[in-house]
Amino acid sequence: LFLLFAVSVTGLLLTVSYALGDTRTPVLLGLLSVLVNVGLALGLMWPLAHAGLALASSLSAYVNLLALLWALRRRLGLIGGRALARAVGRTAVATVALWLVARVLAPAWDGTVHAVALTIAAIVGGALAFGVGAALLRAPELTALLGILRRRR
């Protein structure tokens, strides 16, 4: 989960870089990220075993993410970092609400119909909790999403 955020945002930043016609910088920063990953993996795999390798991958993904953000800011100037941080914060808070609801409703999987029903309830309840959390936080992203959904009808 920790790694998923960095990889997702990195994909978006790569798209921005490529759209600006810059393929060299992402490749060089990706190489830096690989070198950091190898160094961290070598340093962490003995004290932490396989968890050290996972931590090395996650940390190097964040190195890549931060390096790409830095490169884009140098190229474009201000890129709305504070607004982006606020959006990430709102999303994190709404995600905690989702997690709490899903954690309460999700059963230990035993393959029964009851477990299937609770899993579906956890998914739907979690999505609703996220939506309510986003609405309470007045997330403009929720308004934008609802606008897109309305236009598709």
Side-chain angles (χ1 to χ4, degrees):
L1 190 57
F2 183 65
L3 176 63
L4 185 59
F5 175 79
V7 171
S8 299
V9 175
T10 296
L12 292 172
L13 295 176
L14 289 172
T15 302
V16 171
S17 294
Y18 298 152
L20 294 170
D22 183 6
T23 56
R24 184 174 189 261
T25 302
V27 169
L28 293 175
L29 295 177
L31 179 60
L32 169 69
S33 175
V34 169
L35 294 174
V36 168
N37 189 12
V38 169
L40 287 172
L42 290 173
L44 296 173
M45 80 174 152
W46 283 281
L48 300 176
H50 62 280
L53 297 175
L55 181 59
S57 291
S58 295
L59 293 175
S60 66
Y62 277 92
V63 166
N64 196 24
L65 167 66
L66 293 173
L68 284 166
L69 277 172
W70 172 79
L72 282 172
R73 188 168 192 281
R74 284 196 56 186
R75 178 167 181 163
L76 300 175
L78 294 177
I79 56 174
R82 286 189 181 105
L84 179 62
R86 284 192 299 272
V88 169
R90 283 190 301 269
T91 301
V93 170
T95 300
V96 169
L98 178 153
W99 179 82
L100 288 171
V101 170
R103 185 75 178 132
V104 168
L105 293 175
W109 185 259
D110 61 4
T112 64
V113 172
H114 183 256
V116 171
L118 283 176
T119 300
I120 292 169
I123 292 168
V124 172
L128 290 173
F130 183 88
V132 169
L136 290 173
L137 294 166
R138 302 185 198 286
E141 300 84 5
L142 180 62
T143 305
L145 174 63
L146 293 175
I148 290 169
L149 293 175
R150 283 186 196 114
R151 284 192 296 270
R152 285 191 174 176
R153 290 183 187 179

